Amino acid sequence: MRLSTYCLAVAAASLASCGHAFAPNSSRQPTTQRIQGSSATTTTTAMPMSAVIEEETSELLGRPARPGRPLKVAIAGGGVGGLTCALVMLKKGFDVTVYEKTAAFARFGGPIQFASNALSVIKEIDEDLFVRVMEKFTFTGTRACGIKDGLRADGSFRMTNDSLDYLFNPDAPADWFVKFPLKQCADLYGLPYTGVIDRPDLQEILIDECKKLNPDFIQNGNAVNGYVSKGKGKGVTVNLEDGTSTEADVLVGSDGIWSAVRAEMYGEEVKKSSKDKKKKQGCSYSGYTVFAGETVLKTDDYYETGYKVYIGPKRYFVTSDVGDGRIQWYAFFALPPGSKKAPSGWGGTERTDQADPGENLVEYIKSLHEGWSDEVMYVLDNTPPESVEQRDLYDRAPELLRSWADGNVVLIGDAVHPMMPNLGQGGCQAIEDAYVLAETLELVKSSDKIEDSLQEFYRKRILRVSAVQFLSRLASDLIINAFDTPWSPHDDLGKSWKSYLTFFWKPLLQYVIFPAQFAFLYSYYPSGNMGGL
């Protein structure tokens, strides 16, 4: 086919040199050619030289059931999004290599929440993958999850309802403010319930499934630090940390919030901060820092609750069952960026040291919760101080006016839409990105269509991801800035204007906002209804 195209180009050039070239608006005359090895004839139309040259730069891209070579994909980053992307692309017959900065995978990092929408994607990608994830899974959405009163919870971890009975009956418990309709919204679509899986377990499963398809799919200790997109149909040169480079049709930037691929694409400097630390590589400080810890603890409500959000003045405290008797907690505070007390290092972030090695961090966090429920204090008292970690929370505004794709390069996950952790959707949205990107690229039949396909992927994802980013940030801002201990006629614990506002929010949150929010989050479910599971 390339030879016949070349012949057409020569013929067109000859006609032009003899003064017989077609005028710009004249009709082009068809020519007939015979395909070698076939009795069939095809009618073609002479093309202008520019079109011929453009066609010369493209190649047919195949799949197991389609002629052509496999699409060659380089993936920057071997986190959850990058490994999921690698697996779904390998299953489609792509030639995939993951470039990961760590020299070898080690078992570190805490649990990651998998909401119903992410489980649906996992099921659609691969049945065996889904079964293996379920074997390591701890369900939280089957039990009570919601918001508790951080000051009025009586300290006994009792299970009570979230009604307004306490308004009329001073003896009625006011422990629970609002419960989340996680189970009901999953049932609406026939999906598995939300839960958690340890990040190392998930990464091991994904790596193992990828190696079944290509044992050499990953290169450790050699991160992507830049690229040169070479134009339509010409692929991308991927620059690596060791000074070498490689060629690919597509580069997928899945290298986290401080992405080197995004820095190249958007003209940023990796991890560069403003003097006040409120801006860092194009990301904005959320206004919140979070401490986290883990303990093994059995409470009276252990088998009845999944995760609980204790609210109070200017802060909130979250506990979650993460399996094997473990409780993980998060304490969110509105503090300036750089107010470092504890080490950081969970979730694959770079490990830093404790500011004051002699300080008991549990006692410090308790001091910031003075007057709070004994339930919070009990969890903290049973936490080893050396397990406490901290990180400042950064996120990004949605890229509504700037594409996630640049030529043959595209961003997914935290590399382009890091979000606040309140809804547990960061990893879920990265998994959705990986699936949709692979589905979109699967339809590309020639390399000159890749750039358009990546822009199509951006258009498919931008509105949903932007909405999830907005909801995640709104949840933090409301809890810190607009929520307080709810007003009650029976005590003086909630008397500020925020307390009255929080009280009046209750029915709206309970019957409108939370049902609509979780119904929206779970509304992407490519597996379809899994009600028979």
Side-chain angles (χ1 to χ4, degrees):
M1 190 64 182
R2 285 190 168 192
L3 180 60
S4 61
T5 303
Y6 173 74
C7 292
L8 283 173
V10 172
S14 299
L15 285 171
S17 66
C18 295
H20 297 295
F22 297 116
N25 295 322
S26 65
S27 299
R28 295 178 181 144
Q29 301 300 314
T31 63
T32 301
Q33 61 177 325
R34 187 174 297 277
I35 301 175
Q36 187 177 358
S38 171
S39 60
T41 60
T42 60
T43 300
T44 63
T45 301
M47 296 176 288
M49 182 64 86
S50 60
V52 173
I53 293 172
E54 184 172 301
E55 184 172 315
E56 281 293 300
T57 66
S58 66
E59 296 181 81
L60 288 178
L61 299 173
R63 294 182 56 220
R66 192 173 73 203
R69 66 169 179 82
L71 183 72
K72 187 174 182 180
V73 181
I75 299 176
V80 171
L83 291 174
T84 303
C85 190
L87 178 59
V88 66
M89 288 184 174
L90 286 168
K91 288 181 66 65
K92 293 182 182 298
F94 297 176
D95 178 4
V96 179
T97 304
V98 174
Y99 297 92
E100 165 58 30
K101 66 180 179 181
T102 57
F105 276 99
R107 288 192 62 85
F108 67 89
I112 179 174
Q113 180 167 300
F114 261 23
S116 301
N117 52 306
L119 293 174
S120 174
V121 176
I122 292 293
K123 178 73 158 53
E124 184 65 13
I125 290 172
D126 188 87
E127 181 73 32
D128 290 339
L129 172 66
F130 179 77
V131 170
R132 293 186 67 180
V133 167
M134 288 294 98
E135 290 172 352
K136 298 287 187 178
F137 206 67
T138 298
F139 288 100
T140 54
T142 55
R143 295 170 276 167
C145 299
I147 300 175
K148 295 193 74 173
D149 192 318
L151 274 62
R152 293 194 181 97
D154 80 337
S156 67
F157 296 95
R158 60 184 177 180
M159 285 304 301
T160 62
N161 62 35
D162 56 353
S163 70
L164 292 173
D165 292 349
Y166 71 91
L167 284 179
F168 315 104
N169 179 5
D171 297 322
D175 302 46
W176 284 87
F177 179 61
V178 174
K179 293 178 182 176
F180 300 142
L182 303 184
K183 185 175 184 298
Q184 295 87 335
C185 289
D187 288 340
L188 178 66
Y189 302 112
L191 300 178
Y193 302 122
T194 289
V196 296
I197 182 172
D198 280 344
R199 189 182 299 269
D201 288 337
L202 178 61
Q203 288 181 319
E204 285 181 0
I205 292 169
L206 289 169
I207 290 171
D208 186 55
E209 291 296 320
C210 287
K211 285 186 173 180
K212 290 178 183 178
L213 300 169
N214 178 5
D216 302 316
F217 84 100
I218 191 165
Q219 289 192 20
N220 284 98
N222 203 11
V224 173
N225 63 12
Y227 68 85
V228 177
S229 186
K230 299 192 294 186
K232 183 169 288 190
K234 297 180 181 179
V236 56
T237 298
V238 181
N239 299 321
L240 303 173
E241 201 168 55
D242 67 357
T244 63
S245 63
T246 187
E247 302 296 319
D249 294 311
V250 177
L251 170 61
V252 179
S254 182
D255 46 348
I257 186 170
W258 312 127
S259 166
V261 179
R262 187 185 76 237
E264 183 81 54
M265 185 180 294
Y266 291 164
E268 301 169 349
E269 187 174 333
V270 176
K271 293 186 178 180
K272 183 178 181 180
S273 295
S274 61
K275 289 183 179 180
D276 60 5
K277 298 184 179 181
K278 291 185 178 180
K279 282 283 186 179
K280 187 174 181 179
Q281 197 191 326
C283 299
S284 301
Y285 180 59
S286 64
Y288 317 115
T289 191
V290 58
F291 290 83
E294 187 174 292
T295 182
V296 176
L297 189 66
K298 183 179 178 181
T299 60
D300 288 346
D301 64 353
Y302 180 81
Y303 295 106
E304 297 175 277
T305 57
Y307 69 85
K308 299 168 284 187
V309 182
Y310 293 85
I311 61 170
K314 297 183 180 179
R315 62 205 53 179
Y316 57 108
F317 187 90
V318 181
T319 67
S320 177
D321 174 20
V322 293
D324 298 326
R326 297 171 299 151
I327 298 291
Q328 189 168 56
W329 56 261
Y330 303 92
F332 293 81
F333 302 106
L335 295 172
S339 303
K340 294 296 291 181
K341 288 280 189 176
S344 60
W346 82 80
T349 57
E350 184 178 346
R351 182 79 183 179
T352 59
D353 295 328
Q354 183 172 331
D356 178 3
E359 183 175 19
N360 186 315
L361 294 171
V362 167
E363 291 301 320
Y364 169 72
I365 295 167
K366 286 175 63 177
S367 72
L368 297 178
H369 288 90
E370 187 175 348
W372 281 53
S373 167
D374 287 344
E375 294 180 16
V376 172
M377 300 303 170
Y378 183 69
V379 171
L380 290 172
D381 283 337
N382 284 275
T383 301
E386 62 273 13
S387 75
V388 177
E389 295 186 332
Q390 178 191 3
R391 65 173 169 176
D392 291 338
L393 296 177
Y394 287 82
D395 62 3
R396 289 179 72 89
E399 296 290 353
L400 294 169
L401 302 178
R402 186 166 53 176
S403 177
W404 301 351
D406 169 32
N408 300 297
V409 183
V410 67
L411 301 168
I412 67 171
D414 281 353
V416 70
H417 52 70
M419 55 189 70
M420 294 292 286
N422 302 77
L423 302 183
Q425 281 288 323
C428 299
Q429 292 306 304
I431 288 170
E432 286 188 16
D433 285 346
Y435 175 77
V436 175
L437 177 60
E439 290 287 299
T440 305
L441 287 173
E442 182 183 30
L443 302 177
V444 177
K445 295 182 179 180
S446 64
S447 57
D448 63 327
K449 304 298 183 184
I450 290 173
E451 290 189 354
D452 293 338
S453 181
L454 296 181
Q455 296 299 335
E456 181 185 354
F457 160 74
Y458 165 74
R459 290 190 292 270
K460 286 179 178 178
R461 292 292 295 155
I462 184 60
L463 292 181
R464 174 170 169 80
V465 170
S466 296
V468 177
Q469 282 181 281
F470 171 75
L471 290 172
S472 299
R473 184 61 178 266
L474 184 65
S476 294
D477 288 343
L478 283 178
I479 292 176
I480 292 286
N481 298 318
F483 275 35
D484 204 334
T485 301
W487 170 80
S488 169
H490 308 302
D491 59 43
D492 294 324
L493 294 177
K495 293 296 184 181
S496 72
W497 67 267
K498 291 182 182 179
S499 297
Y500 292 102
L501 181 63
T502 304
F503 168 77
F504 286 111
W505 269 107
K506 178 179 169 66
L508 193 61
L509 291 169
Q510 191 168 3
Y511 300 112
V512 179
I513 294 176
F514 285 148
Q517 172 183 280
F518 290 107
F520 167 71
L521 293 176
Y522 300 169
S523 64
Y524 182 79
Y525 57 112
S527 66
N529 190 303
M530 297 162 61
L533 184 66

